[in-house]
Amino acid sequence: MDQAKDKGAVEGLFLHRGILLSKSFTTPEYIDSLEHFPVRDSDVYLFTYPKSGTIWMEQILSLIYYEGYLNKTETTETINRVPGLENNVRKVNFEQRPSPRLFGSHLPYYLTPRGLKEKKAKVIYVIRNPKDNLVSYYHFECMLNQLAEEPIEKLEEFFENYLAGKVHSSSWFDHVKGWYTHKDEYNILFLQYEDMVKDLRGAVLKICNFVGKSLSDETVDAIVERASFKNMKTDPLANCEDLGEDLLHSPKKMTFLRKGTIGDWKNFLTVAQSERFDKVFQEKMKDLPIKFIWDINENI
């Protein structure tokens, strides 16, 4: 086991049961304890691979459950409404939290609480096309490392690490495939990031239907407006920009939201990189009946 950990070691991360996790926010012991986490029937769990629309989806869930913040929660950070299950940055007391509780997580299916399969809790999993995911993740890593510039050599390095699963949460391919092939074990809704970009209102209605929330048209309209990329990018409570103090150990603000579009990978990956990525994608995901949207102009 020690050799496996050393072999998979990446700066700032530790390898545990096949997944790379942050040393700053969790421990192997805590991850193992989540198997017996007391799940409630009314809980809602959001699972994503990093940079797949996590903050965006947490904001949408917050707005749905707090009905557009009509109950005067406008001054509450989204991260406090939807705390991280394994990365509880704000040290929220989960047991004392009133129902319904909302959680966000990057965990693979096999490290989730056993109660998710035994209770009526709802699970939402958001998938993003991996080329855009890679580029978004790359920019986020540059921000974490406080790089003033994003040199092409760093993108080449990150490209290799991404394909090899040597990043936080390890392999995108394993994460997505694992959740999809075990979907029948959960009360789960799969959403694609690209569908949300193309039809946010439709996605909000689909989520409302899944979690059993009946909202007025006016409230849905308000949620769609507040959850628009333009509004979220300028909203520090939704954008979690104050997390810079936690992640960087400095007062630097962070912009978790960058472009929020589809097909930005074309501006960064070379033809050779794109073709190599396609080959890996076909090898690893050939059995998954998921149609990905790779360009903003592509028809659904």
Side-chain angles (χ1 to χ4, degrees):
M1 180 64 71
D2 291 337
Q3 289 182 345
K5 288 183 179 179
D6 290 340
K7 185 177 180 181
V10 175
E11 185 177 359
L13 306 176
F14 65 90
L15 180 65
H16 183 62
R17 296 174 64 183
I19 193 81
L20 284 167
L21 299 165
S22 172
K23 294 178 181 178
S24 299
F25 300 132
T26 193
T27 65
E29 293 74 21
Y30 180 71
I31 294 298
D32 288 342
S33 75
L34 290 176
E35 178 182 358
H36 304 290
F37 182 79
V39 174
R40 301 175 190 171
D41 285 334
S42 57
D43 286 348
V44 178
Y45 295 78
L46 167 66
F47 291 97
T48 59
Y49 185 80
K51 306 309 296 177
S52 297
T54 311
I55 300 296
W56 189 20
M57 188 64 197
E58 288 175 349
Q59 171 76 339
I60 292 170
L61 281 173
S62 297
L63 290 165
I64 288 174
Y65 274 85
Y66 293 93
E67 301 195 14
Y69 302 160
L70 298 178
N71 60 351
K72 308 302 180 185
T73 62
E74 287 88 348
T75 59
T76 304
E77 285 182 291
T78 300
I79 197 171
N80 284 325
R81 298 192 194 95
V82 192
L85 183 61
E86 74 274 19
N87 301 321
N88 187 8
V89 178
R90 295 288 190 252
K91 309 300 180 186
V92 175
N93 189 317
F94 295 156
E95 292 185 6
Q96 294 182 5
R97 201 169 185 84
S99 296
R101 300 179 303 180
L102 309 175
F103 296 99
S105 176
H106 294 314
L107 288 177
Y109 77 94
Y110 59 86
L111 291 182
T112 59
R114 184 185 300 174
L116 286 181
K117 299 179 181 180
E118 302 167 350
K119 298 283 187 175
K120 297 178 181 178
K122 292 180 170 58
V123 174
I124 297 174
Y125 189 86
V126 180
I127 309 170
R128 185 180 190 181
N129 92 59
K131 288 184 179 180
D132 277 333
N133 178 261
L134 183 156
V135 169
S136 179
Y137 209 153
Y138 163 68
H139 285 287
F140 185 68
E141 285 290 310
C142 288
M143 181 173 59
L144 283 181
N145 294 318
Q146 304 183 71
L147 296 179
E149 298 179 355
E150 298 166 355
I152 192 65
E153 311 86 67
K154 296 300 294 183
L155 176 55
E156 292 172 352
E157 178 184 345
F158 186 80
F159 180 87
E160 297 300 330
N161 288 338
Y162 187 93
L163 287 183
K166 294 182 179 180
V167 294
H168 186 286
S169 295
S170 296
S171 168
W172 176 94
F173 305 98
D174 292 345
H175 202 281
V176 170
K177 193 169 185 177
W179 271 104
Y180 191 84
T181 55
H182 289 81
K183 64 183 185 300
D184 293 340
E185 300 173 18
Y186 304 90
N187 180 14
I188 194 168
L189 171 67
F190 270 87
L191 291 173
Q192 288 188 251
Y193 178 95
E194 293 76 23
D195 290 338
M196 294 167 61
V197 171
K198 292 202 168 196
D199 182 12
L200 180 55
R201 196 175 200 279
V204 169
L205 291 173
K206 185 178 292 186
I207 296 164
C208 286
N209 182 62
F210 177 67
V211 300
K213 291 285 287 185
S214 180
L215 305 178
S216 68
D217 288 341
E218 292 77 13
T219 299
V220 172
D221 290 340
I223 290 172
V224 172
E225 177 65 18
R226 284 180 176 267
S228 68
F229 188 85
K230 177 182 177 181
N231 285 337
M232 279 194 61
K233 192 172 176 65
T234 58
D235 182 355
L237 298 179
N239 198 22
C240 302
E241 63 179 30
D242 285 331
L243 277 182
E245 298 180 15
D246 299 294
L247 296 174
L248 298 171
H249 306 293
S250 77
K252 180 180 178 180
K253 300 291 186 181
M254 299 187 74
T255 303
F256 276 69
L257 308 175
R258 195 175 62 90
K259 288 188 178 180
T261 187
I262 307 169
D264 191 42
W265 60 269
K266 295 180 179 180
N267 297 317
F268 294 91
L269 300 186
T270 65
V271 172
Q273 286 175 328
S274 179
E275 290 177 348
R276 182 165 169 231
F277 196 102
D278 289 343
K279 183 177 180 180
V280 174
F281 180 87
Q282 290 300 325
E283 290 174 351
K284 293 181 176 292
M285 310 300 283
K286 60 184 178 181
D287 297 327
L288 243 63
I290 302 175
K291 184 183 184 300
F292 286 90
I293 300 172
W294 305 96
D295 186 271
I296 189 66
N297 297 314
E298 187 176 337
N299 291 326
I300 297 176

